Amino acid sequence: MSRIHNLYTHLITNRRPDVDGWLEAYTAFTRDVTKVRAALKQGHRIQDPTTYGETAFKGEKDPWQAFAKRLLADISNGVASSGQSILSKENLPRYIAAEDFVSALTGLIMEPDKSSFVSFDAAWERVRQTCGANRNPLLINRTLSACTRAVTSTVNAPDFETVYEWLVGEGILSRHADPQADWYDKNVQLMTFLGQAFAEELASGETSEELLSIFVWHLFENISKPFSLKKQVIKYGAPGTGKTYSAVRDTRLLFNIWKEEYGAAGSGNYEDHSALVQFHPSFGYEDFMEGLRPVLDKDGKAQLTLQNGAFKQACIKAAAWERDVSALPGCGRELAENWESLMIRDLIPHSAHLPAQHWQPVLSLPHPDKRVADAIPPYFFIIDEINRAELSRVLGELMFSLEYRGIKGAISTQYAALNTLETGLLATGGSWKFFIPHNLFLIGTMNTIDRSVESFDLALRRRFRWERADPDISALRYHLKQRDPKPGSAGSRWAGLADDLESLNRRIREVDILGSDYEIGHAYLMDLRYPPTITQSAVREKVWEDAIRPLLEEYLRGSGRGDALLPEFRKAFGVA
């Protein structure tokens, strides 16, 4: 199996619950665009209500305006998110009232090619200059992506360029023959390549053009973005949004992809390369790093002995490769200090001094021009509820090591003088030093509504990449749709609960004293243990009483507005 097929298996085939919600919305909207195209080719005007007679917009008061809003301005139109690009509700009518813009849009829908795309881009620019709107190239690209699967749904040009360059750099894709090739040209090239690589799967229905387009985005999200830029991540959001679940899932994915390319039979499994701890108010430096603990000696007497904490143990395990290189006679320190640029070929002359158990799988790789940092195994340390502990006490002097990885960032810890061969990490200059290895990835999770969130000061915040986790309605809908056809469930379908949760969260976001941090996470409805035969309305009421109402009451405690808001929330969730 080729490397591109292996990546597809990991990112799409093995993660369909994370993909199918997007796929469903993507397919539905592009199907509507195709129906609009057919009507236009039959002579209908794009503004005519009859143009939308076979689409999801046929019941709208003004189908043309509803379609244009979805295509051009919505935060998500099913194909891609608008990101930071916004076409305001004031400017949208100005665009769709401009005759030459509507003409260019009609041409793009009817014949979505390079010529019509250039014309549409120019028409967008003319209206933009007239009304003073932002440039919004992402929205222009997204409109094209809704009209044709010849380009991908990775519509932000810098994001696409990142994944394109990664594919070229890895030798998976040849660089475009035209040095002036732009986003459109490279997209067509990439989708043509994927269509050829997955020709059998497309013919058999195992994949689709939409799935291949989504695959490109997931390559960007998980592979092409340098993971070294995300070595310290905080996943934050409302309770029940699957932060810890996604941390485990994502790190397992990254390990499996690494193992597919570099791992040998003896490289172990994900569990050997990961650790998870949960912080709490009494969790301290001694639990995380090192400290004196009572240990019984051979006579049964308690003796205070230095013991390593969970994080230091993980660092010692992951640091074996950097320690080996730093110990090379003569040039070891210099090589280790340039770890991120170190190539496998740089170490081949020193193979006799490197332990075979660590280095034989690396030095025997067929491509010695690969980076050592990519070839050695990754390790993952996940901290659940990271903000629940007193972080300045837990981390101690590690603030420096979090910013400066590897040998260059080696520090003396407060217990350095007590370290031994059993507890120490790096012996240098007659003393023991500690460092965080480059191949250890630190992922923390936290609920933003927790009152202990202020434990993250600014100095610590900037050492982490922050990734927001929102309720995933698509994943919930997929999960419930998978459940509904099962034996005993056919007469009591629950998939509509996803829409109920979406409605409730929309109302929560509108309340000034709550907002998005107080939304109800999809996890509250993922594993419902009620009898499968009860109706959706009965399940909705039970979930409300058992889980959601008590949580909302806690959110509103002391606000003086609980009596007024709770009935509104109950109605928004669909409970009569």
Side-chain angles (χ1 to χ4, degrees):
M1 185 180 292
S2 70
R3 188 178 178 198
I4 196 69
H5 282 83
N6 285 334
L7 290 169
Y8 182 90
T9 298
H10 286 302
L11 293 173
I12 301 298
T13 306
N14 294 345
R15 304 173 77 214
R16 286 304 292 267
D18 303 314
V19 172
D20 274 29
W22 181 3
L23 176 63
E24 183 178 336
Y26 190 168
T27 305
F29 185 57
T30 54
R31 187 185 302 121
D32 278 344
V33 174
T34 300
K35 292 174 181 176
V36 170
R37 176 182 301 118
L40 293 174
K41 289 188 174 184
Q42 290 172 5
H44 294 263
R45 295 168 63 249
I46 198 170
Q47 298 98 329
D48 295 341
T50 53
T51 301
Y52 306 92
E54 301 297 325
T55 74
F57 302 93
K58 61 183 179 182
E60 297 286 345
K61 182 178 179 181
D62 187 335
W64 153 237
Q65 291 212 21
F67 173 73
K69 180 177 181 294
R70 182 77 182 279
L71 180 64
L72 304 171
D74 277 358
I75 292 175
S76 176
N77 64 4
V79 176
S81 166
S82 64
Q84 300 300 312
S85 296
I86 297 173
L87 182 59
S88 69
K89 61 182 180 181
E90 293 81 12
N91 282 328
L92 176 62
R94 297 168 182 166
Y95 276 77
I96 62 176
E99 186 175 337
D100 69 329
F101 178 83
V102 173
S103 176
L105 177 59
T106 300
L108 183 70
I109 294 173
M110 291 181 68
E111 297 291 343
D113 55 20
K114 182 68 175 286
S115 176
S116 63
F117 179 56
V118 170
S119 297
F120 176 70
D121 189 0
W124 186 295
E125 177 63 16
R126 287 192 292 273
V127 182
R128 183 195 75 80
Q129 291 183 1
T130 300
C131 64
N134 293 326
R135 176 76 176 93
N136 289 334
L138 185 151
L139 296 182
I140 299 170
N141 294 345
R142 187 179 72 161
T143 305
L144 174 67
S145 295
C147 299
T148 175
R149 261 75 80 210
V151 298
T152 73
S153 57
T154 306
V155 294
N156 187 31
D159 293 349
F160 178 81
E161 191 66 23
T162 298
V163 71
Y164 182 88
E165 287 297 325
W166 182 83
L167 288 166
V168 171
E170 293 295 308
I172 296 173
L173 180 71
S174 300
R175 187 174 298 282
H176 199 286
D178 182 359
Q180 303 302 315
D182 58 12
W183 176 86
Y184 177 92
D185 301 320
K186 293 176 180 178
N187 261 272
V188 171
Q189 179 205 2
L190 177 53
M191 285 303 290
T192 301
F193 163 76
L194 291 175
Q196 294 169 348
F198 290 87
E200 291 184 11
E201 291 84 354
L202 285 167
S204 66
E206 293 178 50
T207 190
S208 65
E209 291 176 316
E210 291 86 355
L211 272 174
L212 293 176
S213 175
I214 290 171
F215 172 47
V216 175
W217 172 256
H218 282 283
L219 280 172
F220 168 74
E221 276 279 275
N222 297 283
I223 308 299
S224 64
K225 285 191 299 185
F227 195 55
S228 59
L229 298 180
K230 300 196 297 178
K231 285 182 177 175
Q232 285 137 207
V233 176
I234 299 294
K235 291 180 176 288
Y236 69 99
T241 49
K243 296 176 290 295
T244 304
Y245 170 84
S246 67
V248 174
R249 178 200 63 194
D250 294 348
T251 53
R252 185 186 295 275
L253 168 68
L254 288 166
F255 178 77
N256 287 337
I257 289 173
W258 169 84
K259 189 170 182 177
E260 191 77 46
E261 183 173 359
Y262 297 108
S267 59
N269 53 34
Y270 170 78
E271 286 69 25
D272 299 321
H273 290 251
S274 64
L276 188 151
V277 299
Q278 186 179 68
F279 277 7
H280 49 78
S282 62
F283 200 97
Y285 181 86
E286 296 78 13
D287 305 294
F288 192 67
M289 265 296 292
E290 59 187 2
L292 293 173
R293 300 288 193 183
V295 176
L296 294 178
D297 63 17
K298 61 182 180 180
D299 297 323
K301 296 180 179 180
Q303 302 287 339
L304 286 178
T305 306
L306 185 67
Q307 299 287 309
N308 286 337
F311 183 67
K312 188 179 177 185
Q313 287 177 341
C315 287
I316 289 175
K317 196 173 182 181
W321 289 264
E322 287 183 69
R323 287 198 299 179
D324 291 342
V325 171
S326 69
L328 288 173
C331 60
R333 179 81 184 192
E334 180 183 354
L335 292 172
E337 287 183 351
N338 293 283
W339 189 257
E340 295 284 63
S341 60
L342 189 65
M343 299 295 178
I344 294 174
R345 64 171 176 266
D346 298 329
L347 294 180
I348 291 176
H350 307 280
S351 59
H353 299 283
L354 293 170
Q357 67 186 69
H358 294 152
W359 290 99
Q360 191 277 330
V362 175
L363 299 179
S364 61
L365 287 170
H367 302 293
D369 55 343
K370 295 284 188 180
R371 294 194 318 147
V372 173
D374 295 330
I376 67 169
Y379 286 78
F380 307 97
F381 194 88
I382 300 172
I383 305 173
D384 191 31
E385 306 281 7
I386 191 172
N387 55 314
R388 297 299 303 278
E390 186 182 338
L391 292 178
S392 59
R393 178 175 180 271
V394 173
L395 298 178
E397 64 279 292
L398 296 187
M399 293 281 280
F400 182 85
S401 295
L402 285 170
E403 186 157 12
Y404 301 100
R405 291 291 189 106
I407 300 295
K408 279 187 177 180
I411 59 172
S412 294
T413 63
Q414 55 188 284
Y415 291 100
L418 298 180
N419 272 281
T420 64
L421 286 172
E422 288 72 34
T423 60
L425 196 158
L426 180 68
T428 178
S431 63
W432 289 97
K433 296 287 184 72
F434 172 83
F435 66 91
I436 301 177
H438 287 87
N439 60 328
L440 182 77
F441 301 97
L442 181 62
I443 302 97
T445 70
M446 60 184 287
N447 292 327
T448 45
I449 63 170
D450 197 303
R451 291 180 177 84
S452 60
V453 69
E454 63 270 12
S455 61
F456 263 92
D457 59 32
L458 291 177
L460 190 54
R461 282 177 179 272
R462 72 177 179 83
R463 285 166 166 80
F464 286 84
R465 174 188 172 95
W466 291 72
E467 295 182 352
R468 183 177 182 86
D470 291 313
D472 192 339
I473 302 300
S474 295
L476 174 61
R477 186 177 288 110
Y478 174 85
H479 174 79
L480 293 172
K481 282 184 175 180
Q482 294 295 108
R483 170 243 170 237
D484 282 349
K486 291 181 179 178
S489 304
S492 53
R493 299 184 181 276
W494 297 354
L497 293 172
D499 298 317
D500 297 329
L501 184 63
E502 188 172 29
S503 173
L504 173 61
N505 282 334
R506 188 182 306 116
R507 182 68 189 101
I508 290 172
R509 290 195 299 271
E510 295 169 349
V511 175
D512 54 355
I513 60 172
L514 296 179
S516 59
D517 287 339
Y518 290 82
E519 292 182 69
I520 307 299
H522 56 278
Y524 285 96
L525 283 80
M526 288 293 282
D527 293 306
L528 301 176
R529 303 301 176 90
Y530 305 115
T533 54
I534 66 175
T535 65
Q536 180 175 292
S537 60
V539 172
R540 185 190 301 120
E541 188 160 353
K542 286 181 177 294
V543 171
W544 171 262
E545 291 296 331
D546 294 348
I548 297 178
R549 181 182 59 79
L551 185 62
L552 290 172
E553 285 178 341
E554 183 61 28
Y555 288 168
L556 296 168
R557 187 184 303 278
S559 70
R561 296 173 61 182
D563 291 342
L565 287 173
L566 279 172
E568 293 185 25
F569 292 149
R570 178 185 175 94
K571 182 179 179 181
F573 190 57
V575 179

